[in-house]
Amino acid sequence: MIVRLFLAAWLLVCAGPAFAHPHVWITMKSEVLVGPDGAVTGIRHHWSFDDMFSAFALQGQASKVKGQYTREELAPLAKVNVESLKEYDYFTYATADGKKVELAPPTSDYWLDYRDSVLTLNFTLPVKTPVKAKELKVDIYDPTIFIDFEFDKKDPGKLVGGPHCKMDVVYPREMTFAEGKALSEIPADQPNVSMAWGEKFANKLLVHCP
């Protein structure tokens, strides 16, 4: 839904051939949930979309107060977005001591907020089987870089629980000029399948537990 919505918006706004990946920009805050026994139980995301995507997503959305939207009014849109993310593995990939961690679909506790012309999607991915690990690694990225993920500069992520654990936030390296140029030349109406570099530019959360 996110990809399809923004692609439609991009093609409507741009006259003539439209270029440049990425097309959606998300600023995020993420939390790793740890139980009292030290087992990781879930990953909670707060994704703030860029204002262009937010404006397009809200077209036709009814509200009692013009320009303001309650969580209840945005609930159907939140449901569509969360359910559609399953197709893309929620752009979230976790490993515990190098082994893949299976994440379950978001719980019913998800919602959209709208503030300062920006939509923020809040949702939690439970760990199917809570896991203890010396190192849990969470990578967040779009393999095709259609969506650009970036941690919030002031509040990128935190641990919830796990008093004996520590977490590091790892930012991706900058693209080289040549990489950025090649990516920008992919037409907007074509998927990026030849330069699936997303993992190289993943945002990472590293949780270390004794």
Side-chain angles (χ1 to χ4, degrees):
M1 177 66 178
I2 292 172
V3 173
R4 288 190 288 270
L5 261 178
F6 198 85
L7 180 56
W10 189 265
L11 294 176
L12 283 171
V13 170
C14 295
F19 294 87
H21 281 56
H23 301 307
V24 184
W25 289 264
I26 291 177
T27 301
M28 59 184 174
K29 302 177 183 181
S30 298
E31 302 163 8
V32 177
L33 312 180
V34 183
D37 62 348
V40 176
T41 60
I43 300 163
R44 182 181 297 142
H45 288 311
H46 310 277
W47 290 356
S48 295
F49 299 98
D50 62 88
D51 53 1
M52 183 175 176
F53 175 82
S54 297
F56 183 78
L58 288 169
Q59 285 187 4
Q61 176 68 48
S63 65
K64 290 184 178 179
V65 180
K66 185 177 180 181
Q68 298 181 26
Y69 302 90
T70 65
R71 289 187 185 182
E72 291 74 21
E73 290 167 340
L74 293 173
L77 182 59
K79 185 175 187 293
V80 170
N81 275 276
V82 164
E83 290 179 350
S84 70
L85 284 169
K86 184 176 181 180
E87 179 182 350
Y88 306 99
D89 295 321
Y90 311 100
F91 301 110
T92 303
Y93 311 88
T95 59
D97 294 333
K99 297 181 180 179
K100 182 179 179 180
V101 174
E102 295 289 342
L103 301 175
T107 63
S108 58
D109 183 25
Y110 60 80
W111 70 93
L112 274 169
D113 287 325
Y114 183 71
R115 183 179 301 175
D116 298 328
S117 302
V118 168
L119 279 171
T120 298
L121 180 65
N122 309 272
F123 64 99
T124 300
L125 298 171
V127 174
K128 285 188 177 180
T129 303
V131 60
K132 292 183 179 180
K134 290 185 177 180
E135 181 182 82
L136 179 92
K137 181 164 71 90
V138 181
D139 289 2
I140 305 159
Y141 64 92
D142 174 5
T144 68
I145 318 185
F146 191 99
I147 299 173
D148 179 87
F149 288 94
E150 180 181 31
F151 278 126
D152 183 271
K153 292 295 190 295
K154 294 182 179 180
D155 184 19
K158 63 181 179 181
L159 277 173
V160 178
H164 303 296
C165 301
K166 296 182 179 180
M167 187 171 77
D168 295 317
V169 177
V170 181
Y171 297 88
R173 69 171 176 82
E174 294 289 334
M175 278 192 181
T176 65
F177 176 80
E179 288 170 337
K181 184 175 184 296
L183 195 64
S184 71
E185 291 174 350
I186 300 174
D189 59 349
Q190 295 180 15
N192 170 22
V193 295
S194 61
M195 300 176 185
W197 298 336
E199 188 172 4
K200 293 183 179 180
F201 302 97
N203 294 270
K204 301 177 186 290
L205 299 174
L206 301 179
V207 179
H208 302 276
C209 296

